[in-house]
Each structure stands twice: as C-alpha cells, then as structure tokens.
C-alpha cells in the first residue's frame, strides 16, 4: 500500500538565508539531487520563491513552497502575504499550522481551517502540521489532541479538497530540540491519523494520503523513520539548511 502514496521530503528553511545564501543553498541541493520518485519541496522564506522556482523549473521532482499565508484575499494587513500573491510567484505548496505559527502567532485550528480553504482555492497544496507538546505526550493524551486538531481544521474540508492535503505530524517536543520521536512513536501516531481519515472520509482516501513526520530528522535516523509503514516522508527543519544532510535524508528511501 505504502508504495502507491506520494513520498515527500520537504525542507522548512524557517527564517533563514538571505537572498544570495538562499540561491546558493538551492543550487547545492539541485547539484546533488539524484533522480528519484521522492518529491522534494523547498519551503523557503517568501523572498526566495520566485528565483528558486525559476532556477529549478526543469527538475520535475522538485517544487517550491511557502511557510504560511494570510487568510484574506488582500487589503489592510500590513506585512502579510496572500494566497494569490504566493500563487503568482509559482508557489506549489504552503505549510500551514506549523507549531511555531501556533505558538508565536497565536494561530488556532479554526484560523488554519480558513487558510486551508484559501490555499486550495488558489490551486496550491497545503502541508498541514499537527502535533502535541511535551506535557500532552507525558499525560498520554497525544492521540486525542491530534484528533481534535484535525477535527477543527482539515476535517472541515470536503473529500475532494482533503485529497490534495499533505499532513505533517510534528511532535512539538521534537522540533529543533534534537529529540526525535522513536520510529514506534511515529508509526503509532501516523497509523492513528490514517485511521481518523478513514473514519472521516473512507479507506481509499486514507490509504492515498501522504503523512510526513517532522521533528529533528537527520541522516542518522531518517532511514528507520521512513521504513515505518505509515510514514511517507519528512518535514525537515534544521537539516534542510545543510545540503549534504538534506540530500542524505532524501536518499534514505
Ligand atoms: C520543522 O521546523 O518543521 C522541523 C521539523 O524542524 P527540525 O527538523 O529542526 O526539528
């Protein structure tokens, strides 16, 4: 079953790399990238999207993504960017609901649901992030929390729209901390998420949904994580800024 799903390794550059540094990083990734069935997505700061999109336009398994977008079409929202603006730059994927957006910008699942609709309306593909904080994991209620996050956001989508979404399970305690979920912990959650999708929509939709793991993925742990039956790739933060590490993670399939 797993082999039928689109495998994705997406890099989340976060707020790193100025214009020239970003071009250099993308050039190094392109230079080392080997032909493969894994889709690689570079989720860069907005400033890079156009130039890296042009640079990589002939590489069929590489796409450029954004890390957020505003929920309104336009207007007096100083400093924000709309889905149509992102689309006009050639953006294909948009990360939504990253835990840093939830934590530092107060994003709720209700807001993320509106953003999901906007990104889809403009023909881009959301990478929807969910995941629990450490205290929830320690209390043993992580499955309930993720189920609630999904109920309030992606499960508000129609089946047709849901089919376009990529999910990234990112335990907050593993993001940027060097602590990775064990392959068993990742599989438990990914299996549960697939079960929730089957219940909400149907088995066929659940089997076709790409579910990424994110949280301190590195060359040394990617192979074991990606070997889990319900792990279809990764959302990579820190290691996506190091071309050799990022390529090694992509090649872990
Ligand atoms: C992320 O930012 O989505 C992430 C998973 O970061 P890191 O790989 O650095 O933990």
């Amino acid at each position: 079953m797993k082999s039928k799903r689109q495998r994705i390794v997406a890099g989340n550059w976060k707020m790193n790399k100025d214009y020239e540094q970003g071009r250099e990083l993308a050039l190094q990734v392109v230079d080392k990238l080997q032909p493969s069935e894994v889709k690689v997505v570079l989720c860069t700061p907005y400033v890079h999207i156009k130039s890296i999109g042009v640079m990589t336009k002939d590489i069929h398994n590489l796409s450029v993504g954004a890390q957020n977008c505003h929920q309104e079409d336009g207007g007096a929202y100083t400093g924000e960017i709309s889905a149509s603006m992102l689309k006009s730059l050639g953006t294909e994927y948009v990360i939504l609901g990253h835990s840093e957006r939830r934590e530092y910008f107060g994003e709720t699942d209700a807001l993320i649901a509106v953003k999901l609709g906007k990104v889809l309306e403009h023909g881009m593909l959301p990478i929807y992030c969910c995941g629990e904080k450490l205290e929830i994991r320690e209390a043993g209620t992580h499955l309930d929390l993720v189920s609630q996050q999904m109920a309030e956001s992606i499960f508000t989508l129609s089946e047709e729209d849901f089919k376009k979404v990529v999910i990234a399970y990112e335990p907050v305690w593993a993001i940027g901390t060097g602590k990775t979920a064990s392959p068993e912990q990742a599989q438990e959650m990914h299996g549960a998420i697939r079960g929730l999708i089957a219940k909400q929509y149907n088995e066929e939709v659940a089997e076709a949904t790409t579910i990424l793991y994110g949280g301190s993925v590195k060359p040394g742990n990617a192979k074991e994580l990606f070997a889990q039956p319900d792990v279809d790739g990764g959302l990579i933060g820190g290691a996506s800024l190091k071309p050799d590490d990022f390529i090694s993670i992509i090649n872990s399939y």
Side-chain angles (χ1 to χ4, degrees), residues 12 14 98 100 170 174-177 214-217 235-239:
N12 174 14
K14 311 195 189 197
H98 191 280
E100 288 152 16
E170 299 207 304
I175 298 180
T177 59
S216 298
V217 178
L235 180 54
I236 319 299

Side-chain angles (χ1 to χ4, degrees), residues 5 26 32 36 53 59 79 86 92 100-101 130 132 141 157-158 187 192 203 219 242 247:
R5 290 193 283 273
K32 294 167 200 277
S36 106
I59 305 172
L86 290 176
E92 290 177 68
E100 288 152 16
R101 300 284 325 166
C130 55
E132 80 286 354
T141 53
L157 296 176
S158 67
Q187 173 54 32
E203 281 291 339
K242 300 176 190 153
I247 293 290

Side-chain angles (χ1 to χ4, degrees), residues 57-77:
K57 70 178 186 325
D58 295 328
I59 305 172
H60 84 279
N61 67 325
L62 191 147
S63 296
V64 183
Q67 300 167 18
N68 178 39
C69 84
H70 197 268
Q71 66 275 19
E72 297 293 339
D73 287 320
Y77 300 100

Side-chain angles (χ1 to χ4, degrees), residues 10-14 95 98-100 129 168-180 213-218 234-241 249:
N12 174 14
W13 290 9
K14 311 195 189 197
I95 296 175
H98 191 280
S99 62
E100 288 152 16
C129 302
Y169 167 57
E170 299 207 304
V172 181
W173 47 271
I175 298 180
T177 59
K179 268 190 210 165
T180 317
Y213 168 79
S216 298
V217 178
K218 302 181 207 72
L235 180 54
I236 319 299
S240 72
L241 299 172
I249 292 168

